[in-house]
């Protein structure tokens, strides 16, 4: 399969590796929002969060935390954002599931998402629609 992140885990494409264990691999993003911006990926290829088996997700969660703390210390960050883009409309460009661990500084240029309030009653209706699928 022609996947850039699979090639990175196999060493076929170079990267600045941060961490590796039997399940996952973490390396610096090539175009960081700030230096230290890290990507954590499962070693096995899954396209996105929906495909990622729970057994793997459970193993990744503490690594996200471990990396967040190390990145914060390593680049003297004032905060950390965790992100995951799933599918093209959500900004996914590489279709091998990955978590972004992004160091933040008070005056960095990164623009956070902007919220907009719900029209009347729409919040409760939306909650009901989602709960129907849980
Ligand atoms: P997405 O938009 O899919 O969530 O993010 C993909 C990320 O992968 C982007 O932030 C991009 O900079 C990073 N990326 C893409 N190709 C490479 C690469 O070859 N090496 C590294 N280290 N990062 C990459
Ligand atoms: Zn892959």
């Amino acid at each position: 399969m022609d996947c850039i992140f699979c090639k990175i885990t196999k060493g076929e494409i170079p990267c600045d590796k941060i961490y590796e264990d039997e399940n996952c691999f973490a390396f610096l993003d090539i175009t960081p929002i700030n230096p230290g911006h890290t990507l954590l990926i499962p070693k096995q290829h899954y396209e996105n969060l929906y495909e990622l088996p729970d057994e793997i997700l459970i193993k990744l969660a503490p690594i996200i935390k471990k990396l967040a703390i190390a990145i914060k210390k390593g680049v003297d960050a004032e905060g950390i954002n965790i992100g995951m883009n799933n599918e093209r409309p959500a900004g996914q460009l590489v279709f091998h599931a990955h978590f972004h661990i992004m160091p933040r500084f008070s005056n960095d240029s990164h623009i956070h998402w902007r919220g907009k309030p719900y029209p009347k009653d729409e919040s409760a209706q939306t909650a009901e629609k989602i709960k129907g699928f849980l």
Side-chain angles (χ1 to χ4, degrees):
M1 185 194 306
D2 197 28
C3 168
I4 204 161
F5 286 179
C6 283
K7 287 183 180 157
I8 284 177
T9 61
K10 289 178 197 148
E12 293 167 14
I13 291 178
C15 73
D16 288 304
K17 185 169 94 177
I18 301 286
Y19 176 85
E20 179 177 11
D21 65 25
E22 55 182 329
N23 303 297
C24 64
F25 193 96
F27 55 102
L28 292 184
D29 192 305
I30 204 166
T31 49
I33 66 152
N34 285 308
H37 179 164
T38 296
L39 301 173
L40 175 67
I41 66 175
K43 278 188 172 167
Q44 269 187 283
H45 183 93
Y46 301 103
E47 204 163 287
N48 52 37
L49 180 66
Y50 329 130
E51 288 193 358
L52 198 57
D54 288 356
E55 312 86 81
I56 307 280
L57 190 55
I58 279 166
K59 302 226 165 93
L60 295 185
I63 309 301
I64 292 173
K65 178 176 162 185
K66 191 199 270 285
L67 289 168
I69 293 167
I71 292 164
K72 184 170 154 53
K73 289 181 178 163
V75 299
D76 243 341
E78 296 170 79
I80 296 280
N81 282 137
I82 307 295
M84 186 181 203
N85 302 326
N86 292 286
E87 301 187 85
R88 215 178 288 277
Q92 188 173 8
L93 296 173
V94 177
F95 293 89
H96 180 133
H98 54 279
F99 293 90
H100 293 259
I101 303 152
M102 298 166 279
R104 297 298 307 277
F105 301 88
S106 327
N107 294 315
D108 65 29
S109 58
H110 188 63
I111 299 161
H112 224 287
W113 64 76
R114 288 250 219 105
K116 45 187 185 292
Y118 278 102
K120 195 170 174 295
D121 295 335
E122 209 177 293
S123 174
Q125 288 164 13
T126 304
E128 286 310 312
K129 280 188 207 164
I130 295 168
K131 285 194 275 183
F133 290 99
L134 290 174

